[in-house]
């Protein structure tokens, strides 16, 4: 079984040439290299490739492959944009030997790109699953055209890899899952709330608080999710209340397929889960409290009301559960729960709104313009101070100018930070209004679903007593 993927690399050719001419320069190697030199050095690292034993060059010489790729770009005057493509082919643990893994990688690279592009194939042995890396020059050495990785190429890469695996009696993924977007993947690694993370959390909670499939369905409803648990369907699905598109539960992981969910519920202690379910449902049911009469002094018409951006952000923070601090709650819609990832950003926004008493986004735009003009004035002043500092030889005067320069830099940093926050306010306001509308709709739909369920249960009880 082999999985494949490919993504583009952007960078500056001038920086790349400087790197090649200065091999002693050290560049931090990250998991996702940002330019061709980083990528080339990453895929051919000796500690990963058994001292470069499993490195093969296609349409170029291994020892000078990087320079040849640069020459191809300069020859066709295509030194900007995507400068390379980085791909991988990963195998199941203990399915292939290092020699077989490298042989299959070279075969795949020759069939995919060997007729037009320069490619480096390296096999990494530092993980339990052996995998090949491909460094592909974005410019063809034949006609100078750039490589286009579209949907047809994605499918061709998968089909070619599957066919090669089939020819060598290796397993093939019959139903490949959709790849998680990188932003969501990185957020999940950091433990931040994402749409999929919140779905997994809701399913885990429902399994702990249900003793059969019906109660599982009810607990999911109470958490703001609709699940389709039809036994005649091949896949169970889950979606947030109010969403149009559902997600197949098996895409959340092996532990969330319909068979595994049923097994996990059966493995739980039925009595313990029954009590958990009753306790949760008691807390989840709306409590109707008789309002206490309150006497107001003065006129409500003369009461000062919060309006504009300040009211919008206060409402949003309340729905998020951030306000009030003593009585926090969880929002119903998962869009609002995901917004907790940006709570620090929203806190900065509301502080700036309160500090300068912004009413509308036009006020924020004027604030940004004033700050921009002030930044230009301060930069000119700082440049004059730097010029005086460079002209003088007096140590005391130099220290004096340095202090003035640092003071201006401190002020500039604060103004630029306020400008950045102000731009966030303009960007976030439409999204906040949209999230508030979704939360209100989710509350209304949740109440409707709950009312329908209560009526159904009441009708069943009435028929039982007839």
């Amino acid at each position: 079984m082999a999985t494949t993927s490919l993504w583009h690399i952007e960078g500056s050719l001038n920086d790349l040439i400087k790197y090649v001419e200065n091999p002693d320069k050290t560049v931090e190697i990250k998991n996702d290299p940002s330019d061709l030199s980083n990528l080339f050095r990453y895929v051919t690292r000796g500690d990963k490739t058994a001292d470069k034993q499993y490195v093969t060059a296609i349409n170029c010489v291994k020892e000078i492959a990087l320079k040849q790729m640069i020459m191809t770009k300069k020859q066709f005057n295509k030194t900007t944009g995507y400068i390379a493509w980085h791909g991988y082919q990963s195998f199941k643990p203990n399915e292939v030997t290092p020699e077989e893994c490298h042989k299959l990688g070279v075969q795949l690279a020759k069939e995919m790109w060997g007729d037009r592009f320069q490619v480096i194939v390296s096999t990494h042995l530092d993980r339990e699953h052996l995998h090949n890396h491909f460094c592909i020059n974005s410019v063809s050495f034949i006609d100078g055209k750039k490589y286009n990785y579209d949907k047809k190429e994605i499918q061709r890469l998968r089909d070619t890899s599957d066919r090669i695996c089939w020819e060598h009696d290796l397993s093939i993924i019959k139903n490949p899952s959709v790849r998680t977007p990188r932003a969501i993947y990185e957020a999940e690694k950091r433990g931040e709330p994402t749409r999929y993370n919140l779905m997994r959390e809701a399913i885990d909670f429902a399994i702990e608080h249900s003793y059969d499939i019906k109660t599982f369905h009810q607990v999911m409803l109470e958490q703001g999710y609709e699940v389709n648990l039809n036994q005649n369907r091949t896949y169970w699905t889950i979606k947030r209340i109010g969403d149009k598109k559902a997600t197949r539960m098996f895409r959340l992981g092996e532990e969330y397929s319909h068979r595994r969910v049923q097994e996990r519920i059966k493995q739980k202690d039925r009595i313990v889960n029954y009590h958990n379910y009753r306790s949760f449902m008691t807390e989840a049911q709306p409590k109707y409290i008789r309002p206490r009469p309150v006497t107001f002094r003065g006129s409500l018409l003369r009461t000062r009301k919060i309006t504009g951006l300040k009211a919008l952000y206060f409402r949003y923070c309340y729905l998020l559960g951030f306000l009030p601090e003593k009585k926090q709650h969880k929002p119903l819609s998962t869009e609002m729960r995901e917004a907790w990832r940006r709570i620090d950003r929203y806190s900065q926004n509301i502080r700036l709104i309160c500090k300068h008493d912004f009413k509308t986004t036009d006020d924020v735009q004027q604030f940004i313009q004033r700050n921009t003009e002030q930044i230009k004035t301060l930069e000119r002043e700082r440049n004059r101070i730097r010029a005086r500092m460079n002209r003088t030889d007096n140590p005391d005067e130099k220290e004096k100018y340095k202090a003035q320069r640092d003071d201006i830099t401190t002020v500039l940093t604060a103004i630029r930070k306020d400008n950045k926050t102000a731009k966030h306010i303009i960007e976030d306001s439409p999204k906040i209004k949209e999230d508030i509308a979704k939360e209100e709709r989710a509350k209304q739909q949740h109440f409707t679903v709950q009312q329908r369920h209560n009526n159904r249960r009441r009708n069943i009880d009435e028929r039982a007593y007839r």
Side-chain angles (χ1 to χ4, degrees), residues 10-22:
E10 293 182 275
S12 168
L13 189 60
N14 291 331
D15 294 339
L16 178 57
I17 295 171
K18 288 179 183 177
Y19 170 78
V20 174
E21 293 176 350
N22 182 13

Side-chain angles (χ1 to χ4, degrees), residues 140-237:
S140 170
F141 69 94
I142 297 293
D143 52 19
K145 292 183 179 180
K146 282 205 166 186
Y147 180 60
N148 181 28
Y149 188 57
D150 54 13
K151 290 183 178 180
K152 289 183 179 179
E153 278 293 285
I154 294 172
Q155 192 60 47
R156 188 167 79 93
L157 178 60
R158 290 175 181 169
D159 293 342
T160 306
S161 178
D162 287 347
R163 179 179 53 77
I164 291 172
C165 289
W166 180 78
E167 290 173 355
H168 291 81
D169 295 327
L170 300 177
S171 58
I172 298 172
I173 302 175
K174 294 183 179 179
N175 296 307
S177 59
V178 178
R179 185 182 174 190
T180 304
R182 190 167 187 84
I184 296 178
Y185 172 74
E186 293 294 339
E188 287 182 352
K189 280 177 63 178
R190 295 191 295 269
E192 297 178 359
T194 64
R195 180 162 58 100
Y196 298 134
N197 264 349
L198 292 170
M199 285 179 177
R200 295 186 192 103
E201 181 183 326
I203 293 172
D204 292 337
F205 182 87
I207 291 173
E208 293 290 336
H209 291 76
S210 55
Y211 54 89
D212 57 16
I213 296 300
K214 289 184 179 179
T215 52
F216 173 81
H217 183 271
Q218 183 59 28
V219 175
M220 291 299 294
L221 274 179
E222 291 295 339
Q223 295 183 93
Y225 289 95
E226 290 183 33
V227 286
N228 191 328
L229 309 179
N230 190 337
Q231 297 291 342
N232 297 323
R233 292 176 63 96
T234 307
Y235 306 107
W236 287 359
T237 60

Side-chain angles (χ1 to χ4, degrees), residues 209 211-223 225-227 229 241 277-278 280-282 284-286 288 444-463:
H209 291 76
Y211 54 89
D212 57 16
I213 296 300
K214 289 184 179 179
T215 52
F216 173 81
H217 183 271
Q218 183 59 28
V219 175
M220 291 299 294
L221 274 179
E222 291 295 339
Q223 295 183 93
Y225 289 95
E226 290 183 33
V227 286
L229 309 179
I241 292 178
Y277 170 75
R278 297 297 301 175
F280 170 72
M281 293 302 292
T282 303
Q285 295 300 324
Y288 297 97
Q444 182 61 38
Q445 290 171 353
H446 179 70
F447 178 77
T448 303
V449 170
Q450 182 64 46
Q451 197 173 34
R452 192 185 305 127
H453 175 76
N454 290 340
N455 291 338
R456 190 184 302 118
R457 190 165 53 185
R458 192 181 301 112
N459 293 335
I460 292 172
D461 293 341
E462 288 177 358
R463 286 199 298 268

Side-chain angles (χ1 to χ4, degrees), residues 300-455:
L300 288 174
L301 297 176
R302 297 178 184 176
T303 304
R304 185 180 176 185
K305 296 181 181 179
I306 300 175
T307 58
L309 286 173
K310 195 183 295 185
L312 177 68
Y313 270 85
F314 277 138
R315 174 67 175 164
Y316 192 59
C317 289
Y318 169 75
L319 292 175
L320 276 175
F322 187 67
L323 294 175
E325 294 182 3
K326 294 183 179 179
K327 193 179 179 182
Q328 293 184 349
H329 63 279
K330 283 187 177 181
L332 186 59
S333 66
T334 48
E335 288 92 351
M336 296 288 283
R337 295 184 209 170
E338 288 178 45
W340 266 99
R341 292 166 52 193
R342 301 180 293 275
I343 194 65
D344 292 336
R345 172 166 165 163
Y346 296 141
S347 299
Q348 292 173 3
N349 291 357
I350 200 167
R351 287 193 190 100
L352 192 68
I353 289 170
C354 294
K355 181 179 178 181
H356 297 279
D357 196 24
F358 296 139
K359 301 294 184 185
T360 63
T361 52
D362 291 337
D363 296 341
V364 182
Q365 195 65 51
Q366 292 174 8
F367 173 78
I368 293 173
Q369 290 175 358
R370 289 196 301 270
N371 275 1
T372 303
E373 294 173 1
Q374 191 176 357
I375 287 171
K376 290 179 181 177
T377 303
L378 289 171
E379 284 179 342
R380 286 195 294 268
E381 180 64 24
R382 186 172 63 175
N383 289 336
R384 284 196 290 268
I385 291 172
R386 281 176 176 167
R388 293 172 189 167
M389 185 176 67
N390 293 333
R391 285 196 299 265
T392 184
D393 295 328
N394 189 328
D396 294 335
E397 288 187 359
K398 271 189 179 290
E399 290 299 323
K400 174 187 172 184
Y401 290 137
K402 278 183 182 180
Q404 292 177 359
R405 180 201 63 186
D406 293 343
D407 290 342
I408 293 176
T409 301
T410 303
V411 175
L412 277 171
T413 302
I415 295 174
R416 286 186 178 127
K417 186 177 179 181
D418 285 349
N419 253 16
K420 184 178 179 181
T421 304
K423 289 176 183 177
H424 288 167
I425 293 172
I426 296 174
E427 293 171 7
D428 295 342
S429 294
K431 177 70 167 57
I432 287 175
K433 292 177 182 177
E434 184 181 341
D435 284 353
I436 289 175
K438 285 182 179 179
E439 177 71 8
E440 297 293 349
R441 285 198 301 270
K443 282 186 174 182
Q444 182 61 38
Q445 290 171 353
H446 179 70
F447 178 77
T448 303
V449 170
Q450 182 64 46
Q451 197 173 34
R452 192 185 305 127
H453 175 76
N454 290 340
N455 291 338

